[in-house]
Amino acid sequence: GFTAVLSNGCPRYSDWCYTNGQNNSIRYWMDGYEKYYTGMRNRVVGVKTITLYNNNNANACVDKLKHWLADHGDGSDIGGVAVVCVYTDEWVYNDTLPAQSAHSGEYVISQMGNDSAAHAMTIVGYDDNVWYDINGDGYITTDIDINGDGRINIFDSEYGALRIANSWGTMMFGNGGFIWLPYSLLNEIVPIGGLRRVYVCEVEERNVQLAYKATIGHLNRGHLSLQVGYGLTTNEKDYYNIFNYQGGNNVSISGIDNNPITIGLDFSSKFGALSDYKHYYLQAIDNNTSSGSYNENNYFIRDFSLMDYRWGEAFELPCPTTSIPIGKNTTTTLSINYDLLPFDGTPVPTNWNSD
C-alpha cells in the first residue's frame, strides 16, 4: 500500500470507496482518470515508523505517537495520522465503553486476535480519559501488571485509547467506521521488524506535471503488472512498478465486475530527468502460465494517453494504437512519441529514514 501511494499518490476516500450497496468494496479498484489525478496531488513523500515498545520506555514511545497525532511532534497547527496493523482473527470489537468513561457507549476493541489475519487501520486521534476494564477484575487500574510481562507501564494502564478509522464502511463497523483501541493492547499489535511499531507518513499537496491515462481490461489482476518507461530511443527504457501483480488471482482488474477501468499513473516523480526524452511507454506484463483457456477479448489496453500539465492547462496526447490485446504470458508495449520541451521543474524527495 505504501509503495503504491509513494509512487502514485493517495486518492480521497469518497473516490475509492465503492458505495452501491455491495459488500465487496475491499476488492474494488478505482475507475476514472480524474479520481486518480486528484490522488496524484495528495502525495506521501516519505514513510517511517514510531516504535511503541523498546526495552523499558514504552510510556515515552506512546507519548511520541500522541505528539505526532497532536502536532506532528513539532508544534505544528495540524496533527498527523498513523497506521497500525492488528490481528483480526477472533478479535473482539463489539464491546462498548462504560457509562463513566469518556465517549461512553462507543465501541472499543477489548481483545486482540490470534496471530493471523493481519489488518491495517488508521490512527486518527487519542483520548486519555477513555477507560475500559481489560482484565475484567471490576477495577480500572494503572499499577497492576495485567499482561504478565514483569513490567508495569502504559501497556498495563486501563486508561487511555487511540481512535481508529477502519475501511469496512460506516454502517457495518464501530462508531460510524471508527473504534477505540486501548493503550493496554498496543503490545499485541502486529510487529514490524520484530518490534511493536506504527507507520507514520509525511504528506503534501503537489502539482502534477506529467501523467499517463489508460483504459485496461483484465480478468486476473494477480497476473498483471503495469509499468511505464521513457527513453531517447525504443532501446532505452526505465520502468517502475505501480500495479504489480496485486489484488489476488481470479479477480478482475476492477474487483467487482468484468468491466475495464480507466486509471491514471503519475509520471511527475521522474520529471527532472525527462527534458530530452522523446518516447514514452506503457507496458502490460501478463505472467499467466496456466494451460487453461484465455480469451483475449477480456484482456486488453483499450487506449493510452500522455497528459502534460506543465503549461497551466491539460494537454492530452493519445497513442495512435488502440484496443491492443494483452497476450497470455507476454509483454504488451504501447508507445507515444513526444518531444518534451524543457521546463523548470524540481523533483520532490520520495523517502526519509525511520526512527
Side-chain angles (χ1 to χ4, degrees):
F2 283 119
T3 301
V5 296
L6 279 167
S7 64
N8 209 44
C10 186
R12 297 175 299 194
Y13 177 83
S14 58
D15 283 340
W16 67 258
C17 183
Y18 191 61
T19 57
N20 78 336
Q22 296 186 29
N23 185 25
N24 56 7
S25 61
I26 58 175
R27 299 163 68 93
Y28 166 67
W29 275 9
M30 194 167 64
D31 180 20
Y33 174 78
E34 291 302 322
K35 297 177 181 179
Y36 285 90
Y37 173 76
T38 300
M40 294 176 204
R41 297 172 60 86
N42 302 323
R43 300 309 304 232
V44 173
V45 296
V47 178
K48 62 181 181 180
T49 59
I50 292 178
T51 301
L52 298 185
Y53 184 76
N54 189 2
N55 296 324
N56 295 313
N57 63 349
N59 293 40
C61 291
V62 175
D63 281 345
K64 183 177 181 180
L65 171 61
K66 290 159 63 177
H67 283 299
W68 173 266
L69 297 171
D71 60 9
H72 281 96
D74 59 10
S76 299
D77 293 333
I78 300 174
V81 297
V83 175
V84 62
C85 194
V86 303
Y87 294 115
T88 60
D89 184 25
E90 296 188 8
W91 68 332
V92 179
Y93 62 92
N94 54 3
D95 286 327
T96 57
L97 296 172
Q100 297 82 4
S101 169
H103 304 282
S104 64
E106 294 186 5
Y107 287 99
V108 60
I109 299 172
S110 58
Q111 177 181 305
M112 288 296 200
N114 301 323
D115 291 350
S116 61
H119 175 61
M121 300 186 293
T122 304
I123 306 170
V124 298
Y126 68 91
D127 193 331
D128 291 338
N129 297 311
V130 166
W131 56 263
Y132 188 82
D133 184 10
I134 289 292
N135 64 351
D137 65 355
Y139 300 94
I140 305 301
T141 60
T142 61
D143 56 357
I144 297 176
D145 182 15
I146 63 174
N147 58 32
D149 65 355
R151 300 183 178 95
I152 296 177
N153 52 35
I154 198 166
F155 300 145
D156 301 293
S157 175
E158 295 177 313
Y159 283 95
L162 301 173
R163 190 170 192 239
I164 305 294
N166 200 5
S167 58
W168 293 353
T170 59
M171 301 296 294
M172 298 179 60
F173 181 84
N175 318 294
F178 297 89
I179 200 165
W180 293 98
L181 172 59
Y183 301 154
S184 55
L185 295 181
L186 291 177
N187 66 330
E188 299 182 43
I189 64 174
V190 178
I192 301 170
L195 295 174
R196 310 293 179 178
R197 293 170 169 168
V198 298
Y199 288 105
V200 297
C201 55
E202 194 62 76
V203 299
E204 69 175 20
E205 292 186 11
R206 186 191 305 177
N207 291 327
V208 178
Q209 301 294 317
L210 296 173
Y212 280 6
K213 175 183 177 182
T215 302
I216 298 172
H218 201 283
L219 298 188
N220 197 327
R221 63 193 187 191
H223 286 305
L224 177 67
S225 175
L226 298 180
Q227 303 182 6
V228 299
Y230 52 88
L232 288 169
T233 70
T234 55
N235 293 323
E236 298 180 23
K237 304 175 183 178
D238 186 3
Y239 295 98
Y240 66 90
N241 294 339
I242 297 178
F243 299 102
N244 190 34
Y245 309 116
Q246 301 178 59
N249 292 329
N250 301 314
V251 180
S252 72
I253 194 169
S254 72
I256 55 175
D257 52 40
N258 294 338
N259 295 326
I261 60 174
T262 300
I263 65 172
L265 307 177
D266 183 34
F267 216 80
S268 298
S269 61
K270 296 184 177 295
F271 172 71
L274 295 180
S275 59
D276 295 328
Y277 290 160
K278 304 178 188 301
H279 302 282
Y280 299 84
Y281 306 94
L282 173 67
Q283 279 195 334
I285 304 172
D286 184 288
N287 69 354
N288 187 351
T289 59
S290 68
S291 59
S293 61
Y294 192 92
N295 185 347
E296 289 188 346
N297 291 328
N298 296 318
Y299 305 83
F300 57 85
I301 303 174
R302 190 172 69 193
D303 51 63
F304 159 49
S305 298
L306 176 65
M307 306 293 295
D308 190 345
Y309 298 95
R310 296 172 303 144
W311 310 104
E313 58 182 314
F315 176 68
E316 181 174 358
L317 185 70
C319 177
T321 306
T322 60
S323 300
I324 299 300
I326 299 173
K328 183 177 183 179
N329 197 29
T330 62
T331 298
T332 303
T333 304
L334 294 178
S335 64
I336 294 173
N337 296 330
Y338 184 40
D339 194 353
L340 189 70
L341 297 176
F343 186 78
D344 184 17
T346 303
V348 177
T350 57
N351 66 287
W352 33 291
N353 294 327
S354 299
D355 65 348

